[in-house]
Amino acid sequence: MSSLPPPDLRLVLVTDLMGQTEPCGCTSRPLGGLDLVAGMVREARKDAPTLAFAAGHLHFEGASIPEPMQAQARFAAETTERAISATPFDGTFIAAPRSEIERAFLEEPTAVARFGDGEPHLYEVGGRKVLVVGVEQTPPAALARVLAEAPARDVAIVLHVGPRRSAAEIAAVPGVDFVLLAGLDEEAVTPPRARGKAHLLTAGRQGQRLLLLDLYLREGETFEDLSPATAEERKQELTQSAAELEARLEVWTREGRHAAEDLAAQRARLEAMRLEIASIAPPSEVKGRAFVARHVEIDPEAARAREVAELMRAHDQRVNAHNREAFKDSRPIPVDEGEPTYVGSQVCASCHAQAHAWWEKTPHGRAYSTLVLRHKEFNLACVGCHVTGYGKPGGATVTWNLDGALVNVGCEQCHGPGSAHASAGPGQKRETIVRDPAEGVCLNCHNHEHSDQFDFETYRARLLVPGHGH
Ligand code: HEC
Ligand code: HEC
Ligand code: HEC
Ligand code: HEC
């Protein structure tokens, strides 16, 4: 870290939690979790006078929530709201609801102040005055009036829900110092962008990152950007330009068509670029008004807020208990006449003992206990990929699994339903089974969101062992 003095004021921003209480845990580096968000916001508050805000789509993921998911989604919204109160945030600016259940939810009482669209809020922290305005639909002209009429302040922040295009318009409104963007469709977390006198910043989504914005409220009209990411970006741009110029110089020198002094001038330019690249270093002093913005990943090693972790456990148990009861009569789609159905991996064991003994000890053979350990086995967002034949004729449902025979990612997930194959009499053909599952079979579950490292050849090779496919 650079050796800058402590800031006069720190802003912490979390955007678009989307009712994601924690990451699923499937990927190589799961980021996020409301307990970690709370822990890190508390940690961030220790170093300087701080204001923390949450903005954007906080409680629900999207506009269309399938009917069976609605109870679960609502529980997640409640858990998120409790975690927001416990974190603690100084205020929230919530995007307009995208569904009826979200609308109803947002009408209920809340413990944390929610900003209305275009309403100014003045905070006094560490002897500084901070004006915060949430903007979704408020037009730039109206925002300009709000800012003109608002009391004197040291800095003005706009929390904006909307596309980058409208953020740029807001940044142009006189008096705006920072536009903090939420509600973006993309995951991209971008370095600060200067727009006129203001700066545009993002914070990420699904509670995977938070934005720390350290402010030095000294003399000066505009804020100088001392963020490491900005310096890094400048360095990369310059490095690329220098490489391009160097390549061109080589060509020009070889061609010999250019005047010696032109070439010398270009060489001097290249040298200047190199000097600038070498001189780019983390700033160590603050000369005037300045800021340092950083995105901090919410990683599993951070300190968790214990009471929020308890809220999350209670949430998982509530979802589990609810779904187990609500879907207790859920049965698979019937199997067409004459078609094979699922029988479970244990049936295969009688003839493929070695394959079964291997499979039981692989992640596929334990995939259901992964969920059970976390009280997620009836969670509709999880179960489908950790059982066999989910949603298929004769396959598992959220509660139905042939008395446990179809839990875990069984043989038939890859080789297809095996009733006909397993019960063929002596001398009968056993071919109603898929020998070599195609990549598409894997991708149903090993998609980018849940298996970031997936590579068909590499993963398939891990399945081929003595006794199974070897
Ligand atoms: C009663 C014994 C028996 C049972 C039970 C059984 N298999 Fe087989 N399986 C065989 C035999 C024998 C073969 C050798 C292929 C053949 O000669 O038809 C075979 C072959 C296979 C093959 C390779 C097919 C090919 O085209 O080479 C797969 C895959 C397979 N079994 C999967 C399963 C699965 C999955 C189950 C459980 C649903 C299962 N088997 C249950 C006896 C059985
Ligand atoms: C029904 C969903 C599903 C399908 C289809 C599926 N997998 Fe998996 N796979 C999983 C789950 C879930 C895990 C992790 C289980 C756990 O640890 O709880 C996993 C784990 C694995 C692992 C272990 C990864 C590791 O880090 O050791 C390999 C290898 C693998 N799968 C390969 C495949 C291949 C190859 C295919 C296709 C032929 C396939 N899987 C199809 C769900 C699936
Ligand atoms: C789209 C399918 C899919 C869904 C939905 C899904 N998983 Fe997974 N999960 C996988 C796959 C595939 C893997 C293995 C990834 C790998 O190793 O590449 C996995 C791995 C895991 C692991 C890591 C297991 C280990 O031992 O390393 C955990 C934990 C897990 N899942 C939990 C969950 C939870 C909790 C949910 C619901 C919030 C969920 N999964 C939803 C497909 C899924
Ligand atoms: C994740 C997918 C997956 C799962 C789960 C799986 N297999 Fe396989 N299996 C494969 C692949 C891939 C091959 C290699 C096919 C080839 O080489 O043609 C294979 C090959 C086989 C073969 C034919 C080769 C041989 O070893 O005789 C049999 C039999 C078989 N599997 C049985 C089983 C049984 C029984 C289970 C469950 C205990 C099981 N498989 C679970 C993917 C899977």
Side-chain angles (χ1 to χ4, degrees):
M1 267 322 302
S2 63
S3 52
L4 288 175
D8 300 318
L9 184 75
R10 168 170 283 181
L11 269 144
V12 180
L13 181 72
V14 176
T15 50
D16 302 312
L17 291 167
M18 301 174 119
Q20 186 91 6
T21 58
E22 65 184 316
C24 59
C26 308
T27 54
S28 53
R29 196 151 177 269
L31 297 180
L34 296 174
D35 51 349
L36 290 164
V37 170
M40 289 182 72
V41 171
R42 285 178 198 178
E43 208 46 46
R45 298 190 83 110
K46 287 181 182 163
D47 306 335
T50 298
L51 285 172
F53 300 101
H57 298 291
L58 295 181
H59 303 88
F60 292 86
E61 185 168 354
S64 66
I65 305 164
E67 206 281 318
M69 291 287 278
Q70 288 186 3
Q72 192 177 319
R74 188 177 153 111
F75 296 163
E78 288 173 19
T79 303
T80 306
E81 181 60 28
R82 288 190 196 121
I84 287 173
S85 326
T87 293
F89 288 104
D90 296 284
T92 56
F93 180 56
I94 302 176
R98 295 182 288 186
S99 65
E100 239 352 279
I101 61 168
E102 183 167 11
R103 186 179 311 281
F105 177 82
L106 291 178
E107 277 165 10
E108 289 170 23
T110 166
V112 185
R114 286 186 189 153
F115 303 162
D117 199 344
E119 259 175 35
H121 296 259
L122 191 71
Y123 292 85
E124 272 201 63
V125 231
R128 309 287 180 159
K129 291 196 174 71
V130 183
L131 186 71
V132 183
V133 190
V135 170
E136 187 167 17
Q137 299 296 336
T138 306
L143 175 64
R145 278 197 299 278
V146 168
L147 292 181
E149 286 160 17
R153 64 270 175 175
D154 294 294
V155 58
I157 313 270
V158 175
L159 302 176
H160 178 51
V161 173
R164 283 175 194 275
R165 189 170 19 83
S166 64
E169 286 170 20
I170 290 168
V173 170
V176 174
D177 293 307
F178 292 94
V179 182
L180 311 184
L181 257 174
L184 292 174
D185 291 331
E186 359 131 23
E187 246 170 87
V189 185
T190 41
R193 287 272 171 273
R195 286 282 176 273
K197 287 184 178 168
H199 296 269
L200 228 74
L201 304 170
T202 57
R205 63 204 322 227
Q206 296 188 333
Q208 299 194 336
R209 287 175 186 78
L210 49 81
L211 172 74
L212 293 187
L213 176 57
D214 285 349
L215 299 177
Y216 297 92
L217 298 164
R218 316 229 167 136
E219 286 307 304
E221 214 194 317
T222 55
F223 282 87
E224 188 191 352
D225 181 356
L226 302 180
S227 310
T230 307
E232 186 49 39
E233 202 181 28
R234 174 86 187 127
K235 195 168 189 165
Q236 277 171 12
E237 279 169 13
L238 270 174
T239 307
Q240 189 174 347
S241 308
E244 283 166 12
L245 180 55
E246 188 174 11
R248 263 180 283 137
L249 261 166
E250 240 171 68
V251 175
W252 292 335
T253 313
R254 216 175 327 119
E255 288 174 348
R257 286 193 285 118
H258 297 265
E261 59 265 36
D262 289 350
L263 285 179
Q266 290 301 326
R267 281 205 195 88
R269 219 182 110 213
L270 180 61
E271 199 43 44
M273 279 166 141
R274 288 193 174 135
L275 281 173
E276 187 178 346
I277 293 168
S279 75
I280 294 177
S284 54
E285 55 171 340
V286 181
K287 297 201 192 80
R289 249 161 123 71
F291 76 93
V292 177
R294 268 172 295 144
H295 292 113
V296 186
E297 284 189 344
I298 310 262
D299 70 77
E301 279 82 49
R304 290 170 197 270
R306 198 152 28 87
E307 74 277 30
V308 179
E310 275 159 25
L311 285 174
M312 288 157 61
R313 294 290 78 81
H315 166 75
D316 290 339
Q317 287 171 4
R318 183 184 187 197
V319 169
N320 244 14
H322 174 273
N323 288 357
R324 176 186 215 147
E325 183 54 28
F327 301 110
K328 69 177 190 301
D329 298 325
S330 161
R331 290 286 172 278
I333 316 167
V335 177
D336 282 346
E337 196 59 32
E339 290 295 318
T341 188
Y342 292 89
V343 294
S345 307
Q346 193 57 46
V347 173
C348 321
S350 55
C351 300
H352 301 289
Q354 261 193 300
H356 189 269
W358 157 80
W359 168 82
E360 265 190 322
K361 296 192 178 64
T362 66
H364 284 143
R366 294 185 309 244
Y368 200 64
S369 56
T370 296
L371 300 186
V372 174
L373 281 169
R374 292 165 173 77
H375 305 290
K376 304 249 200 200
E377 72 271 31
F378 299 108
N379 190 313
L380 296 169
C382 309
V383 64
C385 298
H386 287 250
V387 296
T388 307
Y390 188 78
K392 299 267 169 60
T397 75
V398 55
T399 54
W400 190 91
N401 47 42
L402 206 58
D403 295 328
L406 300 183
V407 302
N408 301 317
V409 181
C411 321
E412 295 165 291
Q413 184 66 42
C414 293
H415 295 296
S419 61
H421 169 82
S423 61
Q428 279 186 297
K429 283 176 78 135
R430 292 194 181 271
E431 280 141 32
T432 58
I433 200 106
V434 180
R435 182 186 167 99
D436 195 2
E439 179 171 6
V441 171
C442 321
L443 293 178
N444 286 319
C445 306
H446 289 269
N447 56 25
H448 183 69
E449 201 188 331
H450 294 273
S451 184
D452 55 329
Q453 311 276 301
F454 185 74
D455 169 69
F456 181 56
E457 288 313 322
T458 317
Y459 270 54
R460 184 179 177 277
R462 290 191 202 150
L463 307 174
L464 309 182
V465 297
H468 181 253
H470 203 63

